[in-house]
Amino acid sequence: AQKVTQAQTEISVVEKEDVTLDCVYETRDTTYYLFWYKQPPSGELVFLIRRNSFDEQNEISGRYSWNFQKSTSSFNFTITASQVVDSAVYFCALNTNAGKSTFGDGTTLTVKP
Amino acid sequence: GAVVSQHPSWVICKSGTSVKIECRSLDFQATTMFWYRQFPKQSLMLMATSNEGSKATYEQGVEKDKFLINHASLTLSTLTVTSAHPEDSSFYICSASLGAGQGRNTQYFGPGTRLTVL
């Protein structure tokens, strides 16, 4: 069975603060993929990143960075210098070669001006 | 690239009527499409997986006869909510991917359809 846990239900920060969203996963598969999606108030899910289980390199894209650690089964997401437009629900998801994705419950991020 | 559209974006219908939602991959061929529903402040719940040209695979607890899924082409899947009732009111989201396997299983999501059944 697969499981994704996003322990933080809601996070509130002030603009320009850094914020890290946690994601812990469980799977017995040795090959899997991890994703982060952003869901703004409009409702549409926006793909942010995909990570393969055999590639533990961290990644930085602008103000976004991701820390993948297989040893702790975690795939955390950090937003540096947060902005009001970052306010959204963020979902972490796990996908195996079976194709289906298992989503976490989401973390609602509120960035206040 | 990787744009998925949904139509309609919102719909209000009377109890007992049927509603069809379309999901299209605009710039790629989607071997696999997924249908989710999302209740307010909750995560996405997978309803079914459909592969082009074959019957959809429904998740446990999802009524096949109530939620009819058709994936007739590599760019179009439809979800029909038959005899809708107020408890079917939800946000329905589709996603499309190239299929399973390395590099192909990223899901691209449609903008969602908000269904309200009166």
Side-chain angles (χ1 to χ4, degrees):
Chain A
Q2 299 177 150
K3 186 177 180 181
V4 176
T5 302
Q6 294 180 253
Q8 305 147 309
T9 304
E10 297 182 6
I11 300 177
S12 181
V13 299
V14 177
E15 206 170 19
K16 297 185 182 177
E17 286 184 9
D18 298 347
V19 59
T20 295
L21 310 181
D22 298 333
C23 173
V24 175
Y25 62 91
E26 295 176 29
T27 181
R28 293 182 180 176
D29 290 286
T30 55
T31 300
Y32 52 88
Y33 306 85
L34 295 162
F35 300 82
W36 275 96
Y37 292 92
K38 174 182 179 181
Q39 186 177 39
S42 62
E44 182 171 1
L45 274 91
V46 178
F47 164 71
L48 296 178
I49 190 171
R50 182 188 73 224
R51 217 52 179 148
N52 304 323
S53 56
F54 41 85
D55 181 1
E56 284 193 73
Q57 279 191 335
N58 292 327
E59 184 158 335
I60 297 175
S61 177
R63 297 185 296 108
Y64 296 168
S65 63
W66 291 270
N67 185 342
F68 175 29
Q69 294 198 351
K70 288 181 74 172
S71 61
T72 56
S73 297
S74 65
F75 185 41
N76 296 337
F77 172 31
T78 298
I79 301 175
T80 303
S82 60
Q83 300 176 1
V84 173
V85 293
D86 295 327
S87 296
V89 181
Y90 290 86
F91 290 97
C92 178
L94 169 69
N95 186 295
T96 67
N97 274 322
K100 293 195 300 185
S101 288
T102 300
F103 283 80
D105 288 338
T107 297
T108 299
L109 172 65
T110 302
V111 182
K112 299 178 181 177
Chain B
V3 178
V4 176
S5 70
Q6 266 184 256
H7 179 81
S9 55
W10 60 269
V11 57
I12 301 173
C13 69
K14 293 183 178 180
S15 186
T17 61
S18 294
V19 176
K20 180 185 283 189
I21 302 170
E22 292 186 349
C23 177
R24 293 181 185 273
S25 56
L26 299 184
D27 51 2
F28 67 103
Q29 293 187 324
T31 305
T32 307
M33 287 186 169
F34 304 87
W35 286 95
Y36 297 84
R37 65 188 298 182
Q38 185 181 32
F39 292 107
K41 297 189 183 300
Q42 292 189 23
S43 188
L44 283 74
M45 185 194 82
L46 180 65
M47 299 175 67
T49 303
S50 72
N51 292 296
E52 185 264 339
S54 60
K55 289 184 178 180
T57 302
Y58 290 80
E59 294 299 300
Q60 193 172 6
V62 178
E63 299 175 57
K64 300 179 184 181
D65 295 332
K66 181 166 188 62
F67 299 101
L68 301 178
I69 292 172
N70 184 279
H71 192 163
S73 76
L74 286 171
T75 60
L76 173 65
S77 176
T78 60
L79 166 68
T80 301
V81 183
T82 62
S83 187
H85 288 94
E87 57 266 29
D88 298 324
S89 299
S90 187
F91 191 51
Y92 291 86
I93 309 172
C94 74
S95 70
S97 75
L98 293 174
Q102 180 180 350
R104 298 171 62 83
N105 59 357
T106 298
Q107 291 183 38
Y108 298 94
F109 286 83
T113 297
R114 193 163 300 282
L115 170 64
T116 301
V117 184
L118 302 176

